[in-house]
Amino acid sequence: RNDRANLELQIMKNKFSNTTLFLFLLLFNGQLSASNEYFNEGINFYKQKEFEKAKFKFEQDIVYNPKNENSYLYLSKIFREQKEKELEEKNLNTVIMLNPKNEEANYNLAKLKLEQSDFKKSKKLIDQLIVFCKTFCQKSEKLKVEIEKSLKK
């Protein structure tokens, strides 16, 4: 009789664990799909040049996925369009912190630093980028020439 009670207790524990795991996975999956949905909506608004709506969607995505470098990258692009250089730089730095080899963020930050006449920082960023670039190599080489011309002035 005692063995039967232990067996029933074990079955109840397993059912509880399985139910808890199922609910957790269901909630977690819901958050992931919501996050992807926010990011995708942000992309659509960005393509339509509806920057305020896009910004809101990327910020919503960051709430669910604070390490999504692409949301920060798009925020930096929005701030560049809006001439908010400080916020553009902040978001580019966040992208680079999350992924130091993000070519687009490194390139855009080097370009921003060049615009701000911070030639040394721009050169440092572009030199680092050239070491690991795959898609931004040609653009990076052109920007490096522009930086070096500025350094000689």
Side-chain angles (χ1 to χ4, degrees):
R1 183 175 162 128
N2 202 11
D3 288 339
R4 181 175 170 90
N6 284 338
L7 180 62
E8 287 177 4
L9 183 62
Q10 190 62 38
I11 290 171
M12 285 177 58
K13 283 181 181 177
N14 285 345
K15 283 183 180 180
F16 178 75
S17 294
N18 289 342
T19 304
T20 305
L21 179 63
F22 175 75
L23 289 174
F24 173 78
L25 291 173
L26 189 66
L27 285 171
F28 186 72
N29 188 35
Q31 284 185 342
L32 279 180
S33 65
S35 173
N36 287 336
E37 196 173 300
Y38 293 137
F39 180 78
N40 292 333
E41 288 174 4
I43 294 288
N44 290 333
F45 284 129
Y46 180 84
K47 287 177 181 176
Q48 296 167 19
K49 298 197 181 301
E50 293 186 51
F51 297 128
E52 288 304 314
K53 289 179 181 178
K55 187 181 352 174
F56 182 69
K57 290 300 177 181
F58 292 127
E59 288 168 346
Q60 281 182 306
D61 178 59
I62 289 168
V63 169
Y64 289 101
N65 188 4
K67 293 183 180 179
N68 184 357
E69 67 190 83
N70 292 316
S71 284
Y72 294 103
L73 184 62
Y74 273 95
L75 284 173
S76 75
K77 293 176 182 185
I78 291 168
F79 290 125
R80 181 176 57 227
E81 290 287 332
Q82 296 176 335
K83 309 276 189 264
E84 298 272 357
K85 300 297 181 189
E86 196 173 302
L87 292 171
E88 176 188 0
E89 183 174 348
K90 178 182 169 215
N91 281 280
L92 287 170
N93 282 322
T94 302
V95 173
I96 294 168
M97 181 185 68
L98 292 170
N99 178 4
K101 292 187 176 183
N102 184 303
E103 293 182 43
E104 189 173 3
N106 276 280
Y107 178 82
N108 289 346
L109 187 56
K111 204 169 167 183
L112 178 63
K113 288 299 179 183
L114 180 60
E115 291 167 8
Q116 296 171 340
S117 301
D118 188 346
F119 306 121
K120 288 181 182 177
K121 178 68 174 173
S122 184
K123 183 174 180 346
K124 181 182 177 193
L125 285 162
I126 217 66
D127 286 343
Q128 290 171 345
L129 175 57
I130 288 171
V131 171
F132 62 80
C133 72
K134 288 185 175 73
T135 56
F136 275 75
C137 298
Q138 196 171 21
K139 279 181 159 183
S140 298
E141 289 291 345
K142 287 180 184 177
L143 188 58
K144 183 176 181 172
V145 170
E146 192 178 331
I147 293 166
E148 287 173 349
K149 285 180 186 175
S150 298
L151 282 168
K152 290 178 183 175
K153 291 180 182 179

